[in-house]
Amino acid sequence: MERLTAHWAILGKTPESLDDYGVIRCSTGAITNAEFGMWLKAFTSGTMEPKALPRVATSYFTAGPGGEPWLGLSLQREPDSQDGFHRPYAMTYYVCVRWADLVAGGSRVSYRALYEALAGQDFSGDAPFLLSPAAYDERRLAAQVNPTARRAAALLLTGRPVCVVRAGHLSPDRRLDFLDAVAALLPYGFRHTLAVSTWTNSASLHRIRLSFAEVPPTHGTWELPWESDERPASYPSEALAYEKELERYQGDDLGDLVGWLGTLVEPGDFGDASHRAAATRLLRGEVWARGGRSAVHPPRPSVEQLLRQCRESIANADERRLGELTTLLAERARGRVTDQDRRTYRVFVRANPIRPPERLGASAVLCDFFEVLLRLLYAARMRAVDVEEMLVDLGVPHRPGAAPPAAVLAAMGRLLPSSAPSGRLLIAHLRGPEHLHTVLATMSEDELCDVAVRSRNRKVLEIVLDEADRRALPSDPRGMEAVRYALARHRYLIEAISSVHAAEESVLRYREVLQVGHRRDLTGADIKEILADLDSPPRTFLLAMMTLCAPGTAPALLQTMAGGTMRELSLTGSPVADDVRAGIDRMFSRDGGGRAARYRRSAGLRRLGPASTPGKVLAAASVVMVVAALALWLWP
Amino acid sequence: MAETDSAPGDPERGREPDIAMWGASGSGKTAFLAALSIALNKSRDAGWRLIGENPVSRTELAKLRNTLLQARTFPAPTEALTYYSWMIIGPPETRRRWWWPWTALPAKAPKIKLDFLDLRGDLYAESESNIDKQALITSLVKSRGLLYMFDPDREARVGDAFKHLDAALHEVAGRMLVGDEYEDGKLPHYIAVCITKYDDPRVLRIAMEEGFTERDPGDELRIPQVPPDRVRDFFRLLCQESYDHNTETILDLIEAFFHKDRIRYFVTSSVGLFIDEELGRFDPDDFLNVIDNAGGGLTIRGAIRPMNVMEPVIWLGSMLRPGAIRNRPWNG
């Protein structure tokens, strides 16, 4: 802040004086002693009470031939002397600056900054002071704002003075900060006609527009109890509107708003209804009455702030307010929202659960809100994972039968057409069997399998398998065929199942897939068909096959597995491949002729006699062990 | 054209005083009001009470009482136009029908609603351009009762009573008498001229030495009093003793502007004279009830016995609210 020229005066008495209160010392120049005296007395807060001191107050006046506006701040200190009538008197120290100087340049001056600048002066000599008040700190001012400050600012815009009561416990410092905060919630130009005081006597006729008092005046003043939620009787709509606008801003947003209001320096008059109405319109970003459309707009509240207010409106079942906020939220949702933003909002919603009261049910306003919320929090094409995250974000209990609120379901229904297939399935599932059936009816078997594979979502998989099971009826060969081919084309959903199920569950789920696809024990041909296009099937899949193989299909299984392994290893047609086939044949042969005999000969082994019964048992056991060992070896 | 609302401090906000206090700074206006409640409580005609009509006035009444009774000092100098909406409630009076006087009606307590305007004394001497002065004059014009406080001690030392009275009186007269409403050329107000600080040794000494005092045979305390019919003369004498020669004309000024039958003179003291409890009566050598304290301020020494504080108010009340109070001894 640049240096400010401040004129000054001291109002009081001299010890033992028989005179009344008067200006006992002042600066020379722009303002005369008589003017100082008149304005200082005109803005008195009432007869001095020691418990109310020190008292800080602001005032405004015009002086000079051109009626130049000034803004002043006074500090009345505790009495330490008596006058000639043995009565204690208090000294008032006063500084005032030209309004034009105050609003020149980019920085503003808060009441506290002016007060601290005053407190640092010695009030000697007769030259004006050169003050260096601290810069306008919108963050600090915003930190002082409480609901009482918002309401006070709003009530001031009714044109009537505001008197804060039940605040006797507040120190003068805290009171000054409050007054500063209230002023900061109005366009800066209104300080032009704003007189505030840390204390007033309500029996006295004073010109203080905003003050603290023990009891409120009897007439014409708003009584505002400190930190009370209770709204004044006959709370005017214009004040309510302004308060609601202010409530949209919290934290850094509020700091931005205070900073922005500080830039609005065009003098405002509390006594002029058009000025007051303009302030409300300005905060709403509407037309500024004087000079056509405003080039400036209030900073928009953050999405978090809007969400917080929506949450309050829902909790209070305030549908009108919720509708207004939803409109604002929709604007934000239509803008660019990054994934990081969405994550941030989701974290916020998760930390601040939105739980509509039952009486709101599935009102249209609430549905609109949730629709906008879902668009904001998740990508435009909602996937299954989004839907599941949403359930978590919205705090839907993770237990069977738990369902989101009706309004959320309705909002989800609106989003259904634009959602990804997996999201559609989950949304429809949440909305109920009828909706699910409607969605499933539009999907082919291929699409079903495709969404299961792509989503890799347990619930989607379950839905798809249930539907496949329903379609693959033995009485409907074409349906069975379609399902079997779709499963085959999508590798029996191996990718989906392996990504969402652990070992035992995988085996069970693969078995379910195979059962749906074949509806019988697997024959050798089935085994060959299944494994023909599967490179390196998971071991759980092979185990699932084994649980379904028909009697006598072991050779086919072994040969198919071996063939697949050899194809995978590019050994097809090699001597080793022949040896493997020969080995398998031998394992399953009942005599020693043929290839087995040749093997034995080439190996130089002596011919074995006919096997005894124990020998047969031993051989059979060996075959089983070999098959098992081979199968295990083949597993990747 | 912009719609303009009333600014804070606008006197046109629904309060008009019945009774305005008039007097220089330090003349004892606020102390008089502070003593009013005590005076009513201590009156011989028991049962009088003073209550605040609204929370503000109740709070202020309590503060004023506490200042005298608890802090045992005087109120701070008034700094702003201050309104008190009070009500005096008297003892219930038995009533009878004139045409059937043998049966008593239910007793009814007289009530006098009084709105007082207190102010900083120097405001009367301010120029007309002063915005508070304008509000004051407006209030005076709308009020119908005046409590004019004349402080002989201040007059002897400062002598500004004439200045305070003259300027404001001419302004009020200028506003009210220019038209045809008051054809007799007099202001319509009732004015109680109160000589304050009777307990001050200088005032009491003049009264005693000049032979204005008498003892009431019924008064056990034997306090010297100025009889009602001699107060006017005492007032004239005190004006002549003033530091300012213009003060001599105050009585004439008052009687020129107000109807003589609407003027009454009182000798008052907010705290009364000190009475030694052991002696049990007035001691001419030891009657100072207000003494200096160690901090340089004033302390009330003994019991507070307001003198003629209730009487001017009741008189004004009965004049402004005819019928509210039936004839009583102090009501003339």
Side-chain angles (χ1 to χ4, degrees):
Chain A
M1 181 73 202
E2 293 172 5
R3 303 187 87 183
L4 276 175
T5 300
H7 290 255
W8 59 270
I10 303 173
L11 182 78
K13 300 182 181 186
T14 51
E16 307 299 322
S17 162
L18 298 174
D19 296 333
D20 293 304
Y21 276 107
V23 174
I24 57 174
R25 204 180 308 155
C26 66
S27 59
T28 55
I31 302 168
T32 65
N33 184 303
E35 285 175 318
F36 270 127
M38 182 175 80
W39 291 114
L40 270 164
K41 290 177 183 177
F43 281 96
T44 180
S45 305
T47 298
M48 180 266 293
E49 289 183 26
K51 68 178 179 184
L53 300 176
R55 178 183 69 90
V56 181
T58 67
S59 57
Y60 57 90
F61 61 92
T62 56
E68 192 176 24
W70 291 72
L71 186 144
L73 185 138
S74 63
L75 166 65
Q76 189 175 30
R77 295 205 164 115
E78 295 90 336
D80 56 4
S81 304
Q82 281 84 32
D83 63 12
F85 297 102
H86 302 275
R87 301 183 299 186
Y89 59 85
M91 304 292 276
T92 301
Y93 300 85
Y94 182 73
V95 293
C96 56
V97 294
R98 286 184 175 87
W99 176 257
D101 292 347
L102 206 59
V103 297
S107 185
R108 304 287 162 261
V109 180
S110 66
Y111 290 149
R112 170 158 287 283
L114 200 55
Y115 164 71
E116 287 171 352
L118 174 154
Q121 301 299 321
D122 61 359
F123 287 84
S124 61
D126 60 1
F129 299 143
L130 278 177
L131 302 180
S132 299
Y136 198 67
D137 187 347
E138 53 263 27
R139 302 287 167 207
R140 187 184 185 283
L141 287 164
Q144 305 297 329
V145 171
N146 62 4
T148 312
R150 285 193 198 91
R151 183 155 297 165
L155 287 173
L156 283 172
L157 290 177
T158 64
R160 286 164 57 186
V162 176
C163 182
V164 182
V165 297
R166 296 186 215 161
H169 58 290
L170 296 183
S171 67
D173 258 356
R174 179 73 187 88
R175 292 180 183 208
L176 177 61
D177 284 338
F178 171 82
L179 300 172
D180 221 356
V182 175
L185 292 176
L186 296 163
Y188 194 87
F190 274 101
R191 296 189 189 223
H192 181 258
T193 54
L194 180 60
V196 303
S197 177
T198 53
W199 172 85
T200 49
N201 182 329
S202 292
S204 299
L205 192 68
H206 58 72
R207 290 176 174 77
I208 308 297
R209 199 169 277 278
L210 170 66
S211 66
F212 291 85
E214 196 173 342
V215 288
T218 309
H219 298 284
T221 299
W222 291 110
E223 174 184 359
L224 183 57
W226 177 255
E227 292 190 340
S228 165
D229 291 335
E230 194 180 336
R231 280 186 186 147
S234 63
Y235 194 46
S237 57
E238 67 266 31
L240 182 64
Y242 199 82
E243 185 181 341
K244 290 292 179 190
E245 287 297 320
L246 291 176
E247 279 177 357
R248 290 168 45 198
Y249 299 86
Q250 304 279 343
D252 288 348
D253 292 335
L254 186 57
D256 292 342
L257 177 72
V258 168
W260 177 75
L261 288 168
T263 65
L264 307 176
V265 297
E266 187 168 354
D269 185 352
F270 281 106
D272 189 328
S274 68
H275 288 200
R276 302 195 304 263
T280 304
R281 290 200 300 274
L282 198 58
L283 193 59
R284 286 175 168 169
E286 295 171 4
V287 182
W288 179 231
R290 288 174 280 170
R293 289 194 70 81
S294 170
V296 291
H297 292 278
R300 294 192 304 174
S302 67
V303 170
E304 287 91 334
Q305 294 306 331
L306 289 173
L307 288 174
R308 182 176 284 116
Q309 291 166 49
C310 287
R311 184 167 172 263
E312 289 174 10
S313 302
I314 291 170
N316 298 329
D318 185 351
E319 291 191 74
R320 192 184 62 80
R321 179 69 179 151
L322 181 63
E324 294 170 2
L325 293 166
T326 300
T327 305
L328 296 171
L329 205 60
E331 287 175 14
R332 308 304 291 270
R334 279 196 291 274
R336 182 174 176 274
V337 184
T338 65
D339 289 344
Q340 178 59 41
D341 291 339
R342 294 185 199 284
R343 277 194 291 276
T344 305
Y345 303 154
R346 289 207 299 266
V347 168
F348 179 87
V349 170
R350 201 177 292 187
N352 300 277
I354 298 169
R355 298 200 174 89
E358 282 186 11
R359 64 180 183 277
L360 274 184
S363 76
V365 176
L366 192 61
C367 294
D368 289 347
F369 163 73
F370 276 114
E371 182 184 349
V372 171
L373 178 70
L374 298 182
R375 286 186 196 284
L376 186 71
L377 265 55
Y378 309 99
R381 280 173 59 81
M382 285 190 77
R383 298 163 302 157
V385 64
D386 296 326
V387 175
E388 289 196 328
E389 277 196 24
M390 179 194 69
L391 295 177
V392 175
D393 293 340
L394 297 182
V396 177
H398 208 71
R399 55 181 163 74
V408 178
L409 285 176
M412 288 161 85
R414 295 181 190 176
L415 295 178
L416 195 139
S418 63
S419 296
S422 62
R424 265 205 305 271
L425 280 182
L426 271 198
I427 291 171
H429 168 71
L430 287 167
R431 299 189 72 201
E434 285 183 14
H435 292 94
L436 180 60
H437 179 72
T438 305
V439 172
L440 287 170
T442 65
M443 299 176 78
S444 68
E445 289 76 9
D446 260 338
E447 285 171 332
L448 282 172
C449 292
D450 187 62
V451 72
V453 170
R454 286 178 187 277
S455 71
R456 302 193 180 193
N457 180 279
R458 182 187 288 256
K459 192 66 202 177
V460 170
L461 181 64
E462 190 182 309
I463 292 169
V464 167
L465 284 179
D466 285 348
E467 177 64 8
D469 186 47
R470 194 184 63 78
R471 292 185 187 189
L473 295 173
S475 59
D476 179 10
R478 291 183 64 181
M480 275 191 64
E481 192 73 7
V483 170
R484 183 161 71 241
Y485 282 128
L487 289 172
R489 272 194 296 277
H490 291 88
R491 290 174 49 81
Y492 297 92
L493 312 183
I494 285 173
E495 281 75 15
I497 293 171
S498 62
S499 62
V500 299
H501 289 300
E504 187 179 357
E505 281 185 326
S506 292
V507 174
L508 297 175
R509 192 60 88 187
Y510 286 131
R511 188 170 70 179
E512 192 180 342
V513 170
L514 293 169
Q515 281 175 328
V516 167
H518 294 274
R519 295 291 188 201
R520 63 174 185 243
D521 287 350
L522 298 177
T523 64
D526 293 338
I527 293 170
K528 285 179 182 173
E529 181 191 324
I530 291 166
L531 293 179
D533 297 323
L534 292 180
D535 295 332
S536 305
R539 286 172 291 184
T540 46
F541 185 81
L542 292 173
L543 288 176
M545 285 184 71
M546 289 174 197
T547 64
L548 293 173
C549 283
T553 54
L557 177 62
L558 193 56
Q559 285 167 1
T560 309
M561 288 166 63
T565 305
M566 284 188 287
R567 273 198 310 279
E568 189 182 345
L569 299 174
S570 302
L571 295 175
T572 308
S574 68
V576 173
D578 292 341
D579 288 349
V580 171
R581 272 195 298 272
I584 294 171
D585 289 345
R586 188 169 58 251
M587 282 192 284
F588 293 104
S589 67
R590 289 178 177 275
D591 55 26
R595 289 181 187 173
R598 284 197 297 278
Y599 171 76
R600 283 194 296 270
R601 278 195 298 277
S602 66
L605 301 175
R606 70 178 178 87
R607 184 187 178 91
L608 295 173
S612 60
T613 302
K616 287 178 181 174
V617 172
L618 190 61
S622 301
V623 168
V624 171
M625 289 180 66
V626 168
V627 169
L630 185 60
L632 289 171
W633 176 73
L634 285 171
W635 280 346
Chain B
M1 178 88 178
E3 180 192 338
T4 303
D5 297 302
S6 63
D10 188 340
E12 306 293 332
R13 285 199 291 163
R15 296 191 294 194
E16 297 307 338
D18 290 327
I19 299 173
M21 308 291 289
W22 200 326
S25 176
S27 60
K29 298 182 292 295
T30 313
F32 181 92
L33 291 176
L36 180 57
S37 169
I38 302 167
L40 287 166
N41 289 149
K42 292 196 169 184
S43 70
R44 255 181 288 177
D45 196 356
W48 288 92
R49 287 149 290 158
L50 181 67
I51 60 169
E53 270 209 320
N54 53 52
V56 175
S57 295
R58 280 194 287 276
T59 304
E60 294 305 309
L61 180 59
K63 281 184 200 170
L64 291 173
R65 277 176 61 91
N66 287 341
T67 303
L68 288 185
L69 294 174
Q70 307 299 325
R72 303 199 66 74
T73 187
F74 291 91
T78 303
E79 293 179 49
L81 292 175
T82 305
Y83 287 84
Y84 303 111
S85 291
W86 292 343
M87 178 177 279
I88 295 174
I89 302 177
E93 295 171 336
T94 304
R95 297 172 299 155
R96 296 178 189 276
R97 295 182 186 89
W98 63 269
W99 49 270
W100 190 255
W102 301 279
T103 307
L105 292 170
K108 187 176 180 183
K111 293 179 181 176
I112 312 173
K113 183 178 176 302
L114 296 172
D115 289 338
F116 289 97
L117 172 65
D118 193 11
L119 67 161
R120 56 186 171 91
D122 63 325
L123 189 56
Y124 281 103
E126 298 275 2
S127 74
E128 203 170 351
S129 63
N130 185 298
I131 48 180
D132 270 344
K133 178 70 173 289
Q134 294 166 17
L136 167 65
I137 298 300
T138 300
S139 294
L140 290 175
V141 166
K142 293 187 174 176
S143 71
R144 286 296 174 269
L146 298 172
L147 275 167
Y148 177 67
M149 300 290 159
F150 180 83
D151 176 6
D153 174 50
R154 180 184 176 88
E155 278 315 291
R157 292 201 279 170
V158 183
D160 55 0
F162 177 81
K163 184 175 73 173
H164 284 91
L165 179 67
D166 183 62
L169 198 52
H170 277 89
E171 282 169 30
V172 173
R175 293 265 291 271
M176 299 187 76
L177 303 181
V178 169
D180 298 331
E181 190 176 357
Y182 304 105
E183 291 182 348
D184 57 2
K186 300 272 189 180
L187 292 171
H189 302 77
Y190 289 88
I191 179 167
V193 178
C194 300
I195 301 163
T196 62
K197 302 183 184 173
Y198 181 61
D199 55 291
D200 186 280
R202 188 182 331 212
V203 182
L204 184 59
R205 192 181 62 247
I206 293 175
M208 292 175 73
E209 289 178 357
E210 297 296 331
F212 282 99
T213 59
E214 290 178 4
R215 304 287 168 92
D216 180 356
D219 180 12
E220 293 176 356
L221 302 179
R222 303 182 67 186
I223 293 174
Q225 312 249 9
V226 180
D229 59 339
R230 301 205 63 198
V231 177
R232 182 175 174 279
D233 294 335
F234 183 48
F235 178 57
R236 183 182 290 280
L237 176 67
L238 290 172
C239 288
Q240 290 166 354
E241 296 280 322
S242 174
Y243 182 83
D244 177 17
H245 294 298
N246 289 325
T247 307
E248 290 181 29
T249 62
I250 283 182
L251 193 145
D252 298 330
L253 197 62
I254 290 172
E255 292 186 343
F257 277 93
F258 298 95
H259 294 275
K260 278 192 176 176
D261 59 348
R262 295 185 182 184
I263 305 169
R264 185 158 294 192
Y265 299 89
F266 300 88
V267 176
T268 72
S269 168
S270 297
V271 296
L273 304 172
F274 176 75
I275 303 293
D276 189 330
E277 297 298 330
E278 289 184 7
L279 189 62
R281 58 178 171 77
F282 171 76
D283 180 355
D285 297 323
D286 185 17
F287 62 86
L288 269 182
N289 207 13
V290 179
I291 56 173
D292 294 346
N293 60 29
L298 297 175
T299 293
I300 300 167
R301 181 183 171 199
I304 297 173
R305 295 186 181 83
M307 297 174 66
N308 284 328
V309 169
M310 180 180 84
E311 287 76 358
V313 175
I314 297 287
W315 174 72
L316 282 175
S318 61
M319 294 295 108
L320 299 178
R321 300 276 189 275
I325 308 173
R326 299 164 71 190
N327 284 343
R328 308 190 72 87
W330 36 259
N331 198 23

